[in-house]
Amino acid sequence: MQLGLSVSDSDVSSFTPLVVLELADDTKAEAITWLLNRIRDKQQNGGAELLVNQLLFPAQDDQKPNPNVFVVGSTLQRLLNGAEDVGLFKEFQDGTMRGFTYANRESFKDFNGDGEGFLSDAECQYIIKHELDTLRAKNEEHVPGYPKLKLYPGKSVVRRLQSKGVLIQYFPLHNKEDLKRLSFSWYKKFKLSLQPLDDIRHYFGEGLALYFGFLEYFTFALVPMALIGIPYYLFDWEDYDKYVLFAVFNLVWSTVFLEVWKRCSATLAYGWGTLSRKKAFEEPRAGFHGALGFNPVTGREEPVYPSSKRQLRIYLVSVPFVLLCLYLSFYVMMVYFDMEFWAINIYNENPDIATSILLFVPSIIYAVVIEIMNLLYRFAAEFLTDWENHRLESSFQNHLVLKVLVFNFVNCFASLFYIAFVMQDMVLLRQSLATLLITSQILNQVMEAFLPYWLQRRRNKKVHKRMRRLMGDKELPLLGQVQLETEMNTYLGTFDDYLEQFLLFGYVSLFSCVYPLAAVLVVLNNITEVYSDAFKMCHVFKRPFSEPAMNIGVWQLAFETMSIIAVVTNCALIGLSPQVKAYFPESDTQLILIVVAIEHVLLAFKFILAFVIPDVPKHIQVNLAKLEFDSLEALKKRVILRIAFI
């Protein structure tokens, strides 16, 4: 549980710092004293019972350092008790995953001596975050020094301070030694092998490890399609109509891909102890507001906001805004087609190298505009979803995901659907798909990898230069590390990462039968994505808190919805192919009916397959059932002992 640094190096404290807490530099002294006392106070008195000390940065020539930066740690005993409070699952002596209890600590596999090293860094930091988040107001009517910052019994102190800007940020510190080892095994040495998912989980937590597990699985699952697509592209490039077999393979692949992933996800989650872990009670979001009311579940006073008002905001403002954005997306699409026809006319009048290059310009411009529109819409969607005032973070995320997915799907794929089924121009469809896919991948790599890397390098140089100027030859590892990490960008979660993979999955599953190199391009993109995302997590962003996860959440439903659309799309493309049309030369109606019937059969097959293939492997089901049985037996024994004692 060593973090590779010691606070004693800087003569600031005597414990191992795990979390940094930064308050606004003009925070009132009485508020700081009150908060620190609450953090240090015993649990029975309503405190968090954690260790906390102030970091004092030397004065600088150009600006005054923030004096309100603190490091938070904990005793090992407190962390072990906290592990039980948060419902942490660890490996038992018999190899099963069980909820940790301090009373049975000796029965867990890796618990030796006093338990040093039993909990990973990510777990320790998650426990501290939980204790800070559940630090509640007692009888205070307001935050000391801030009469307008009202409190009431049971209100989360940290969330209140965050919502009003008193608490700027709190984040877990990186472990230098562990980070160095992880970086070397993860991305610093190019090798054809699996990612160290267990090490990633140990350092960053289950949520992020599941994302990288999905990214790895998706990449490997694309390999068969890529291997089929390369010869198909090389030997059948000019024959645009012979894509029926590839479309059929696409149908089967998109179905099996997601069903097998569920089993892989369950296996990973079970091994990490999150599959059977009960979901923690969800507290109101920091930004949630409303009139003070009574929560019948917790028995505490907290803000209450009428659901009817939220629904009015959603249906009278958010939905019309989304529809307006979709209309603008369609308008931009029609402008793109005008540009496309203009470029084609110029090429037809004067076919040469310059005009042949000009044919790709409209698609490139359109791809750039799509990315810009997606980015602008994302900001608007976040603002609207925040304005809707959702009580829980999960509800906020679900509404945000829905808004973003609907717009991104239409914005990215509407032109391809129009070309495929209205214009029925497979040549233009192939060209547009290739241009959109390649351009979006280049832009994503620039925005997600090169730009953050360049900005972080500049920031690091400034911080190192400033620290050398202030400290001279004196080494203050903790102060330097905290100064550096405080100025790093905050990782906002896996939302954008899953969204990118969702769109790539759409390009492959919907239309790759007419452009078989799509899978090859996505494989290459994902290989670079692994390395760029790994580098960003280790060196560009602040270390995020661990987020326990048993699956990829709402994104599983998003991918499954895309796979259903892929069935309909590929069946329609098969119906449009000249080979199939040749069998029905005089009856389009009969062809349509047969295609629709086949599509229904395939959808039925897809749902049957989803039913037949268990989401959780059999041996894991047995272990979970055994664990439940043991829990019931233990409960019976406790009841019998209690009755006998009475």
Side-chain angles (χ1 to χ4, degrees):
M1 203 176 64
Q2 295 301 314
L3 269 163
L5 54 89
S6 171
V7 187
S8 59
D9 290 336
S10 55
D11 297 326
V12 177
S13 181
S14 57
F15 59 84
T16 301
L18 292 163
V19 172
V20 174
L21 189 147
E22 182 181 10
L23 302 175
D25 57 3
D26 59 350
T27 304
K28 301 290 180 61
E30 52 264 49
I32 297 174
T33 302
W34 169 75
L35 177 62
L36 297 185
N37 287 337
R38 291 301 313 278
I39 293 175
R40 293 179 178 130
D41 206 0
K42 299 289 184 183
Q43 277 189 289
Q44 56 264 35
N45 298 330
E49 204 170 336
L50 298 174
L51 306 175
V52 58
N53 265 315
Q54 187 175 16
L55 285 180
L56 296 175
F57 294 95
Q60 304 174 21
D61 297 333
D62 52 344
Q63 61 183 15
K64 182 182 177 182
N66 186 353
N68 300 326
V69 179
F70 304 87
V71 286
V72 183
S74 175
T75 62
L76 181 58
Q77 175 72 40
R78 180 70 184 89
L79 289 172
L80 292 172
N81 289 330
E84 182 175 351
D85 294 340
V86 300
L88 206 64
F89 270 60
K90 302 292 284 185
E91 189 174 0
F92 212 63
Q93 293 287 7
D94 61 2
T96 59
M97 302 299 294
R98 303 191 180 211
F100 176 78
T101 58
Y102 186 75
N104 295 329
R105 60 191 182 279
E106 301 290 345
S107 301
F108 286 85
K109 185 176 180 181
D110 296 320
F111 195 97
N112 299 310
D114 60 357
E116 184 74 24
F118 178 68
L119 300 174
S120 68
D121 287 347
E123 289 167 341
C124 293
Q125 291 163 336
Y126 173 74
I127 292 167
I128 288 181
K129 180 180 185 295
H130 174 266
E131 298 303 333
L132 291 174
D133 287 344
T134 53
L135 189 64
R136 303 191 179 283
K138 295 190 288 186
N139 299 317
E140 304 94 338
E141 295 183 356
H142 60 82
V143 176
Y146 295 90
K148 294 183 178 180
L149 215 57
K150 300 297 183 182
L151 291 173
Y152 47 85
K155 173 65 179 175
S156 172
V157 170
V158 167
R159 290 176 184 270
R160 186 59 171 165
L161 295 176
Q162 266 188 309
S163 65
K164 296 302 179 181
V166 177
L167 174 59
I168 297 176
Q169 60 179 339
Y170 65 117
F171 60 90
L173 273 171
H174 273 296
N175 178 321
K176 292 181 179 179
E177 292 301 319
D178 284 355
L179 183 63
K180 189 176 180 180
R181 285 193 295 269
L182 177 62
S183 299
F184 183 78
S185 64
W186 194 5
Y187 73 89
K188 282 193 173 180
K189 187 171 67 174
F190 184 81
K191 57 188 185 306
L192 296 174
S193 64
L194 301 177
Q195 297 177 90
L197 293 180
D198 287 332
D199 294 340
I200 297 170
R201 174 252 173 179
H202 189 273
Y203 192 83
F204 288 111
E206 294 83 12
L208 203 62
L210 269 177
Y211 161 69
F212 281 102
F214 177 79
L215 178 60
E216 178 180 279
Y217 170 80
F218 183 28
T219 306
F220 277 105
L222 283 168
V223 171
M225 187 175 286
L227 293 176
I228 294 173
I230 291 173
Y232 184 91
Y233 173 85
L234 293 176
F235 301 114
D236 213 16
W237 168 250
E238 294 301 332
D239 197 345
Y240 297 96
D241 300 321
K242 292 183 179 178
Y243 52 75
V244 176
L245 290 177
F246 204 86
V248 171
F249 178 77
N250 222 341
L251 290 171
V252 177
W253 176 85
S254 62
T255 299
V256 175
F257 159 73
L258 290 171
E259 293 306 317
V260 176
W261 162 249
K262 288 181 185 177
R263 294 173 63 85
C264 293
S265 174
T267 302
L268 289 173
Y270 177 76
W272 296 337
T274 56
L275 186 61
S276 54
R277 185 173 176 179
K278 291 182 180 179
K279 189 176 180 181
F281 181 78
E282 201 169 356
E283 298 288 344
R285 295 174 56 244
F288 176 67
H289 58 84
L292 198 61
F294 179 77
N295 187 324
V297 177
T298 63
R300 296 194 298 257
E301 281 188 315
E302 65 177 45
V304 176
Y305 190 78
S307 177
S308 56
K309 285 188 177 181
R310 185 179 301 111
Q311 297 301 319
L312 286 175
R313 289 188 174 192
I314 291 173
Y315 291 110
L316 296 183
V317 179
S318 296
V319 172
F321 176 79
V322 173
L323 293 176
L324 175 63
C325 291
L326 294 178
Y327 171 78
L328 292 175
S329 177
F330 280 116
Y331 181 80
V332 171
M333 181 187 75
M334 299 313 296
V335 171
Y336 155 66
F337 284 128
D338 289 339
M339 294 172 59
E340 195 72 61
F341 296 143
W342 168 77
I344 292 172
N345 290 333
I346 291 179
Y347 176 77
N348 290 335
E349 292 174 3
N350 184 24
D352 56 23
I353 296 177
T355 53
S356 62
I357 294 174
L358 184 65
L359 287 174
F360 293 94
V361 172
S363 295
I364 293 173
I365 294 174
Y366 183 50
V368 174
V369 171
I370 283 176
E371 294 298 323
I372 294 173
M373 290 176 66
N374 286 344
L375 186 63
L376 294 176
Y377 177 82
R378 170 68 186 276
F379 290 127
E382 286 183 350
F383 174 81
L384 271 180
T385 310
D386 187 61
W387 177 73
E388 290 165 5
N389 196 27
H390 295 277
R391 178 178 175 272
L392 302 178
E393 183 65 27
S394 59
S395 176
F396 173 87
Q397 288 296 329
N398 289 340
H399 281 80
L400 177 62
V401 167
L402 181 61
K403 289 186 185 72
V404 173
L405 285 187
V406 168
F407 180 80
N408 276 255
F409 179 84
V410 172
N411 200 32
C412 293
F413 300 117
S415 62
L416 300 178
F417 278 100
Y418 188 87
I419 295 170
F421 303 117
V422 178
M423 299 173 61
Q424 297 186 16
D425 187 342
M426 297 305 157
V427 178
L428 182 59
L429 178 61
R430 177 178 286 187
Q431 175 189 314
S432 297
L433 175 59
T435 308
L436 287 174
L437 185 56
I438 294 171
T439 307
S440 65
Q441 287 181 347
I442 293 172
L443 290 174
N444 281 331
Q445 290 297 328
V446 171
M447 296 299 294
E448 292 185 6
F450 297 111
L451 184 60
Y453 170 70
W454 178 72
L455 291 174
Q456 189 58 38
R457 282 199 64 179
R458 288 189 60 192
R459 192 178 295 119
N460 289 357
K461 286 181 179 178
K462 287 182 179 178
V463 171
H464 287 311
K465 185 177 180 181
R466 188 189 312 151
M467 295 302 291
R468 281 198 303 268
R469 187 176 68 248
L470 293 171
M471 309 301 176
D473 296 330
K474 188 178 180 182
E475 281 285 333
L476 294 180
L478 177 63
L479 289 181
Q481 181 182 354
V482 171
Q483 182 80 27
L484 184 64
E485 293 186 25
T486 300
E487 298 186 16
M488 283 181 168
N489 296 324
T490 300
Y491 181 64
L492 300 177
T494 54
F495 185 99
D496 289 321
D497 299 312
Y498 278 121
L499 178 61
E500 181 184 354
Q501 296 305 309
F502 171 79
L503 295 176
L504 292 176
F505 177 69
Y507 283 123
V508 171
S509 61
L510 295 175
F511 298 107
S512 66
C513 61
V514 296
Y515 183 62
L517 280 188
V520 179
L521 293 175
V522 174
V523 168
L524 295 175
N525 175 83
N526 282 3
I527 290 173
T528 60
E529 188 81 13
V530 167
Y531 286 90
S532 62
D533 283 355
F535 174 80
K536 285 189 303 180
M537 294 311 306
C538 293
H539 298 291
V540 174
F541 292 119
K542 293 183 183 75
R543 184 179 185 176
F545 280 106
S546 168
E547 288 294 337
M550 60 183 295
N551 50 46
I552 62 175
V554 68
W555 291 102
Q556 180 73 38
L557 178 61
F559 279 90
E560 289 177 354
T561 304
M562 181 69 84
S563 70
I564 293 172
I565 298 172
V567 170
V568 179
T569 303
N570 282 276
C571 284
L573 288 172
I574 291 172
L576 289 174
S577 67
Q579 304 100 300
V580 175
K581 282 185 175 181
Y583 291 101
F584 306 91
E586 298 178 356
S587 178
D588 289 342
T589 304
Q590 188 179 5
L591 172 60
I592 292 172
L593 290 174
I594 290 177
V595 169
V596 171
I598 293 173
E599 171 251 315
H600 278 63
V601 169
L602 287 170
L603 285 176
F605 170 74
K606 179 180 178 64
F607 291 121
I608 291 171
L609 195 65
F611 178 77
V612 170
I613 300 177
D615 293 348
V616 180
K618 184 68 176 177
H619 71 281
I620 294 179
Q621 292 182 26
V622 171
N623 286 340
L624 293 177
K626 188 188 299 182
L627 177 62
E628 186 176 357
F629 175 78
D630 290 345
S631 299
L632 290 173
E633 288 297 306
L635 181 61
K636 287 179 184 178
K637 289 179 181 178
R638 283 199 297 269
V639 172
I640 292 171
L641 287 173
R642 189 178 302 166
I643 294 173
F645 180 76
I646 293 173

